[in-house]
Amino acid sequence: MSDLQTILKNKVFVFIICLCSIFYIFSYLILPFSTADTTFYALIGQGLLQDHMLPYQYVFDHKPFGVYVLYGVWDALTAQLPVGKFTVLALLSLAAFAAMARSIWRTRWLWVFAALVLLGAPFELLAGNTETLLITTELAVLGLARKGTLATIQPTTRILWLLAAGVTFGLTVNINYLEGICLFLPVCFLLLANIRPVLNISLFAIGTCGGLAALFAPYFIQGHHALADYFTQQHQFLHAYSAKLSKRIKAVLLLAAYLAVFSPILIKWFGQKSILKTAPTPDTTLLTLWFISSVPAALLSGHAFSHYSGLWFAPLSIMLVLLAQQKLLFPGWAVVPLAAVVGLSCVDEIHKNLKDYINFKQIDYTHLSDLVQQQKVLNIRTPHTHFYMAHLHSFDRYLFRDHIDIVYGKNAGKHYLQDLAQHPAFVMLPYQGCSTDKVEEPVCVYIQQHYQQAYSVLIGKAGKKKPNRFSFELYKLKN
């Protein structure tokens, strides 16, 4: 018996792991959100569902259309749930992932689910960001395409499964475009390595076009170049958003570090004779190609964000469970780095979540909402989460903290002055933003002349050089 197996059979150790896991999950469930991205998707989704404003006719973000539909619907369904809604979404997504993995690779549901939740801590899977949903929709596409290419099914059934796979892909690639990269090799394998590849590709392509047409139908109905404007805005922003070489190097180094930590699993998987020497089973090949395609997808943006690595971790988690079910041994020393990274990530996430929980309690969002009511607020480099929590309406299309800086660069201050010249009813600034040079001097002078402070929140101790990021000042236009 290996050292690792001996440790895992220790009941005290298992009890401690279970207790820490419960505390780890609970630290997410007590928060209204744990990553700001989810609230931004929900904000745009609210504009879509409540005010019938298509992206990006209200607030701009560079993600595709589907993500706002999904998060908007989920936010509406969980409107009465004050905390934990995005983590619940993540847990449901991971549970569905584990169920689909079981149907394809005959893995144990609980093992896959536990691997995703716990070992996925470095990648913030419980935060409910798009990567958590993306891995599940990817597996749904693979599952449908796999059924459509089985040699034993009837032609009519084949057509329906492949059309369904294409429709699902067309819809879900618009949650995050990275899905197209992640699925490239495994989908090509399924469509080309089975009988009638031309028919397979044709049916999948027809389904994809149908899914895209259904999703973008509101733009076609609206007309007036709405769809062209949608893609133009995306292209312009993504061109400015793409990372510089220094950031891309950091992203590569971060990915390499994570792969090194998980290398014992990869070495065992690719070291199997069925992988290196003989023709592997189709489902094994499918899983391997899915992993290989997902690795470059994590680097595509060029930004060193850990949650991108959740894309390749998903197939790797299935590899780990398959290896465990085959009772392949892992020496204890080989998984020490992995255990250390996962453990430290869990502790760090718990600490961050508890700190955010305390910070949110210091902001009276009900008072903020009553103060502003339905009037629009110009946001100048403060978290957009205040707009989500207090149900505020943005004055400028660029609401995200640094989007105006990304789009306008050194001319960001001029853009803010153009906004102020239109006399927005309220302006939100970082706490002491003018005295700490977070806001340009001409902008501060204009605000001091035409606005008066209506509300402010300082989180943390007064006099600190760097106030907490959720601290802010709200100014109201003078009568």
Side-chain angles (χ1 to χ4, degrees), residues 33-93:
F33 63 89
S34 52
T35 179
D37 288 352
T38 55
T39 62
F40 205 51
Y41 310 146
L43 267 174
I44 301 176
Q46 288 173 2
L48 174 66
L49 298 178
Q50 297 173 14
D51 303 317
H52 310 295
M53 300 178 70
L54 293 172
Y56 311 104
Q57 296 170 5
Y58 169 46
V59 171
F60 176 83
D61 188 33
H62 61 285
K63 289 290 193 301
F65 184 25
V67 69
Y68 312 121
V69 176
L70 193 152
Y71 280 86
V73 170
W74 179 254
D75 186 68
L77 291 174
T78 56
Q80 302 304 315
L81 190 63
V83 294
K85 64 172 64 179
F86 298 111
T87 298
V88 171
L89 177 62
L91 290 171
L92 290 174
S93 178

Side-chain angles (χ1 to χ4, degrees), residues 380-425:
I380 300 181
R381 301 190 180 99
T382 63
H384 65 268
T385 51
H386 299 318
F387 284 70
Y388 174 78
M389 296 295 292
H391 307 289
L392 306 181
H393 298 276
S394 178
F395 182 82
D396 193 287
R397 175 179 293 181
Y398 296 106
L399 173 61
F400 205 92
R401 185 198 301 232
D402 60 354
H403 275 187
I404 284 182
D405 292 293
I406 292 173
V407 174
Y408 293 97
K410 294 180 180 180
N411 294 318
K414 293 180 180 179
H415 182 79
Y416 284 128
L417 287 173
Q418 290 173 357
D419 280 341
L420 289 169
Q422 300 177 53
H423 308 297

